[in-house]
Amino acid sequence: MKRGVLIRNFFLRTLKGRMTLYYCTIFIVFIGLLGGTIYRLVMNVMLDQILQYTEKIIEEKQSSIDTYFGQAVNLVQIAAGSQVLRDVVNHQDETDSVAKLRYQRQANDFFTDILRFNSKVKDILILNDKGYIMNQSGATVDSGYPFFEQAWFKKIEARLFQVAFLGAHPQDYYLIGNHNEAKVVSVMAPIYDLDRQVYLLCNLNIEGIESISNETRIEKTGFITIQDHDNKPVYKPTDMPNVLSAELDHSQYFNQEKGHFAIGAGADKYLVVYTTLTISKWRVVAYIPYSEIYEHTYIIRNIVLASILTVIVLIVLTSILVSARINKPLLRLMNKMQMIESGRTDVVLQDNSTIEIEKLTRRIDSMILNIRALTEDNFRYKLQNKDMELKILLSQINPHFLYNTLQSIKALAVTRKTDEISRMVTLIGNMLRYAINSTQNAVTIQEEVEHISNYLSIQNYRYPGKFKYEFAIPDELRAELTPKLILQPIVENAIVHAFPQMEEGLIRINVREDGADIRIEIVDNGKGMTQNEWIQLTDKLSSVDHEDGYKGGVGLRNVHQRIHNRYGAPYGVTIRAGLESGLCVSILIPRLRGAT
């Protein structure tokens, strides 16, 4: 199980394994297709050669059988046109028995001469226009045998020299029984007579056709047959499968004068090649088992398979070597990356083994330099934030603010205003507790607003009637988080700089949604600032010189840098000054409910 997992992980999870798998798969499929194509081409060439050889054989058989039948046709045409047989036909109805007997003897002598010099002829019959026997050679024929009614008999028109071939049929018309099982092939022609149709039927020994067909063997068990017009076998081997005979009864196989097709299935599948005889229009048909054809390709198939297996082994070995060579620079890169992970920053990844690896390592080196620079910047920002936090802590216990607040409390004590003293002490205590609580990096907007409300209340005691303040905060935003102590420096600047000689100043703090962020606006109706002052203040906000310590307050820049360092662009402080009076300081922070 573990070995299977390791093998699967190697081929699917490693670059070397994937490259080996992909290369092997692609080339093995290609070699398999190529080998199959070559094998198929060889098979087709072999089949074409066998087909050409078989066609040549059956053409030779066609020529021999046409010669055999041509001699029979010439014999029948000569006999049908002879005066001897015409005299016999014309005097068949003679009442003079002596003359009739004389003509019959002449016919018998004529038949005997034919049989003596033509061994292919078995016997000769003369049939009248009713289909019954008029004369014959050899054994006695049943005079009542209806030739015209037989399935094998084909009646032809009474035209001189017209010859017809009749397929193989039994000689069951003899009175002697030992002739009944023998089959013959018949050649028939009309005997010219002006008054009636009389036919000469010449029966040929089928052994002559068998001897021609058996002269040549095709492959080991291939054979040749002769078939008539109705696809019935004139001659066939005794071991011919019956399935072939039954299937060849369908005429659609022989729709041309010559051709070939496949018949049967499995072990009984045969290649059938045929041609048509010129004289009889019968067919010479050759059957070759496909199993014997395939035997010629076994050696070729084994050679092709062995070649494919050899090539596959070579492909696998080559793929492993190539993938290992390609993977080697990546392994060096991985080792160097592990060294960098361990803390070494002096490692250079540059590798010029290939163009791709060179580009990759150069870009990674550039990325590492950027990361190193970002790390240093982040470390610097952290130091800057710590310095700012220290300044914030110091600002919250600013001696001037504390001294002025205590002086206000002393003045209230002199006038014995105990309730106001209690109120002032409570406010200053809340502010100090909020400022020195260092466990919270972020507070809710509600807590920040409560702190600035305490601060504004104390300043109202110090500067009674100088300004008023308002808050516009939606309830759904009060629980959102904000950095701590970002409002007090801005409000303090407004009190100190916006209302130096004004009465009834107004400070308004608005909190609203700005897309996915939160915007806090501190708006005053003070004296505002000139264009040059606004440009200088805006430039100061983007300055990173934190050596300029806080003098009398945390300052806008301190708040901006804290927010910007913590959340990045575009968050921080922006200033919008009115044309004649007033100033709006806007703070943009991300919406961070639940963050710390």
Side-chain angles (χ1 to χ4, degrees):
M1 182 66 181
K2 291 183 178 179
R3 181 177 297 177
V5 173
L6 292 175
I7 294 175
R8 184 170 63 252
N9 289 338
F10 172 76
F11 284 109
L12 298 181
R13 300 296 302 277
T14 65
L15 181 60
K16 181 179 179 181
R18 285 188 177 183
M19 293 174 63
T20 303
L21 180 63
Y22 295 158
Y23 289 156
C24 291
T25 301
I26 292 172
F27 283 105
I28 287 173
V29 170
F30 173 75
I31 293 300
L33 293 176
L34 181 62
T37 303
I38 293 174
Y39 178 72
R40 178 57 58 185
L41 290 175
V42 171
M43 279 287 296
N44 291 336
V45 171
M46 185 72 67
L47 189 61
D48 289 341
Q49 291 179 349
I50 294 174
L51 187 61
Q52 293 174 6
Y53 172 73
T54 307
E55 288 176 347
K56 184 177 180 180
I57 289 177
I58 64 173
E59 286 176 359
E60 293 176 356
K61 300 303 177 185
Q62 175 195 18
S63 177
S64 299
I65 295 174
D66 277 338
T67 301
Y68 183 85
F69 283 162
Q71 294 173 356
V73 168
N74 292 334
L75 178 62
V76 170
Q77 287 178 338
I78 293 172
S82 69
Q83 187 63 44
V84 174
L85 296 186
R86 290 163 65 183
D87 289 341
V88 172
V89 172
N90 290 332
H91 295 86
Q92 182 66 29
D93 298 330
E94 286 281 348
T95 57
D96 185 356
S97 58
V98 176
K100 184 177 180 180
L101 181 59
R102 185 178 67 251
Y103 287 117
Q104 288 181 350
R105 285 181 178 177
Q106 290 178 358
N108 290 336
D109 292 339
F110 183 77
F111 290 156
T112 301
D113 290 339
I114 292 176
L115 295 175
R116 181 183 300 120
F117 296 105
N118 295 276
S119 60
K120 65 175 69 66
V121 180
K122 187 172 184 180
D123 54 25
I124 302 173
L125 306 177
I126 299 177
L127 304 179
N128 61 20
D129 56 354
K130 303 297 182 182
Y132 296 100
I133 191 71
M134 291 178 60
N135 206 332
Q136 80 282 336
S137 66
T140 303
V141 178
D142 183 2
S143 59
Y145 187 85
F147 283 88
F148 286 180
E149 298 177 6
Q150 303 304 310
W152 53 267
F153 193 87
K154 180 181 180 182
K155 192 173 181 180
I156 62 175
E157 296 181 4
R159 292 188 297 176
L160 190 60
F161 299 124
Q162 181 180 4
V163 177
F165 282 82
L166 306 181
H169 59 86
Q171 290 182 292
D172 54 356
Y173 40 79
Y174 286 105
L175 294 177
I176 301 176
N178 58 0
H179 290 277
N180 292 343
E181 295 181 358
K183 285 189 175 183
V184 293
V185 175
S186 298
V187 183
M188 185 176 68
I191 297 175
Y192 183 72
D193 185 72
L194 295 177
D195 300 326
R196 50 190 170 178
Q197 294 182 2
V198 181
Y199 301 96
L200 176 65
L201 188 67
C202 180
N203 294 322
L204 304 179
N205 290 314
I206 203 167
E207 287 81 6
I209 301 175
E210 293 179 1
S211 62
I212 295 174
S213 301
N214 290 330
E215 285 177 354
T216 306
R217 299 294 294 179
I218 302 176
E219 297 297 326
K220 296 180 181 178
T221 59
F223 53 88
I224 295 176
T225 67
I226 310 298
Q227 295 178 194
D228 61 16
H229 307 90
D230 299 323
N231 298 331
K232 302 297 182 182
V234 175
Y235 159 74
K236 69 174 183 177
T238 56
D239 56 350
M240 177 179 177
N242 293 328
V243 177
L244 296 180
S245 300
E247 192 165 353
L248 287 175
D249 286 341
H250 303 289
S251 60
Q252 71 268 16
Y253 289 111
F254 303 101
N255 51 11
Q256 297 177 348
E257 287 194 0
K258 63 179 180 178
H260 65 276
F261 56 86
I263 193 172
D268 295 327
K269 186 177 181 180
Y270 286 80
L271 172 65
V272 181
V273 184
Y274 68 92
T275 189
T276 303
L277 296 172
T278 304
I279 296 177
S280 63
K281 301 302 179 183
W282 292 350
R283 298 183 185 88
V284 181
V285 185
Y287 296 85
I288 309 172
Y290 265 97
S291 58
E292 296 181 6
I293 296 176
Y294 293 148
E295 287 181 359
H296 295 286
T297 63
Y298 286 161
I299 297 177
I300 298 175
R301 184 187 64 184
N302 293 335
I303 293 175
V304 171
L305 290 176
S307 301
I308 290 175
L309 292 176
T310 303
V311 172
I312 288 174
V313 172
L314 293 176
I315 288 173
V316 172
L317 295 176
T318 304
S319 300
I320 293 174
L321 294 176
V322 171
S323 61
R325 185 174 182 83
I326 295 175
N327 200 43
K328 189 174 181 180
L330 297 178
L331 292 177
R332 290 199 298 266
L333 179 60
M334 289 175 59
N335 292 333
K336 291 182 179 180
M337 293 296 290
Q338 289 176 352
M339 295 170 63
I340 293 174
E341 288 179 356
S342 64
R344 292 186 55 181
T345 59
D346 58 338
V347 178
V348 178
L349 302 180
Q350 185 67 29
D351 190 333
N352 300 326
S353 57
T354 64
I355 295 176
E356 293 80 4
I357 294 296
E358 181 183 4
K359 290 181 179 180
L360 177 62
T361 54
R362 186 170 63 248
R363 291 178 181 178
I364 293 178
D365 281 337
S366 176
M367 181 182 67
I368 291 174
L369 291 176
N370 292 334
I371 292 174
R372 190 180 303 164
L374 290 174
T375 303
E376 293 174 354
D377 290 342
N378 186 49
F379 182 71
R380 184 170 61 252
Y381 287 148
K382 286 184 178 180
L383 291 178
Q384 183 178 349
N385 285 336
K386 291 295 183 182
D387 184 56
M388 289 180 180
E389 289 174 2
L390 179 60
K391 290 179 179 180
I392 292 170
L393 181 60
L394 293 174
S395 71
Q396 305 315 309
I397 54 175
N398 186 291
H400 295 288
F401 171 75
L402 188 58
Y403 174 78
N404 292 333
T405 302
L406 292 177
Q407 283 294 103
S408 299
I409 294 174
K410 177 182 177 182
L412 293 174
V414 171
T415 59
R416 300 181 181 275
K417 296 180 179 180
T418 56
D419 292 338
E420 294 182 3
I421 292 173
S422 176
R423 170 78 173 161
M424 285 281 285
V425 171
T426 300
L427 292 174
I428 193 64
N430 291 338
M431 284 189 63
L432 292 175
R433 183 172 64 252
Y434 181 80
I436 65 176
N437 185 5
S438 61
T439 61
Q440 291 179 295
N441 294 322
V443 295
T444 64
I445 292 177
Q446 177 64 31
E447 291 173 333
E448 182 70 7
V449 169
E450 289 177 356
H451 170 73
I452 200 63
S453 178
N454 292 334
Y455 174 78
L456 288 171
S457 297
I458 291 175
Q459 294 289 21
N460 262 335
Y461 277 109
R462 293 181 57 201
Y463 307 108
K466 186 176 181 180
F467 66 89
K468 295 188 295 184
Y469 57 91
E470 297 176 355
F471 297 98
I473 306 171
D475 292 338
E476 62 271 14
L477 297 181
R478 291 180 179 273
E480 298 294 336
L481 297 181
T482 179
K484 190 176 180 181
L485 297 171
I486 62 174
L487 295 180
Q488 181 181 336
I490 300 172
V491 171
E492 183 176 356
N493 283 339
I495 295 172
V496 173
H497 300 291
F499 315 121
Q501 297 177 351
M502 287 186 61
E503 298 289 339
E504 298 292 332
L506 177 63
I507 298 175
R508 182 176 178 85
I509 299 176
N510 302 322
V511 181
R512 60 183 176 85
E513 293 185 27
D514 188 350
D517 302 321
I518 296 176
R519 187 172 294 277
I520 304 174
E521 296 176 335
I522 300 93
V523 183
D524 66 68
N525 62 347
K527 67 174 185 176
M529 60 179 62
T530 65
Q531 183 71 17
N532 290 333
E533 290 174 338
W534 176 79
I535 293 174
Q536 292 176 2
L537 184 57
T538 302
D539 292 340
K540 192 174 182 180
L541 284 178
S542 58
S543 173
V544 296
D545 183 14
H546 55 275
E547 295 299 326
D548 182 15
Y550 174 78
K551 299 182 176 53
V554 175
L556 292 175
R557 187 179 62 186
N558 201 337
V559 174
H560 175 73
Q561 290 294 335
R562 287 175 56 208
I563 296 174
H564 187 74
N565 291 346
R566 185 166 185 175
Y567 302 123
Y571 303 107
V573 176
T574 57
I575 300 173
R576 185 174 72 251
L579 295 178
E580 297 181 356
S581 64
L583 192 70
C584 176
V585 180
S586 178
I587 302 174
L588 182 66
I589 59 174
R591 193 163 185 171
L592 298 171
R593 180 187 293 270
T596 58

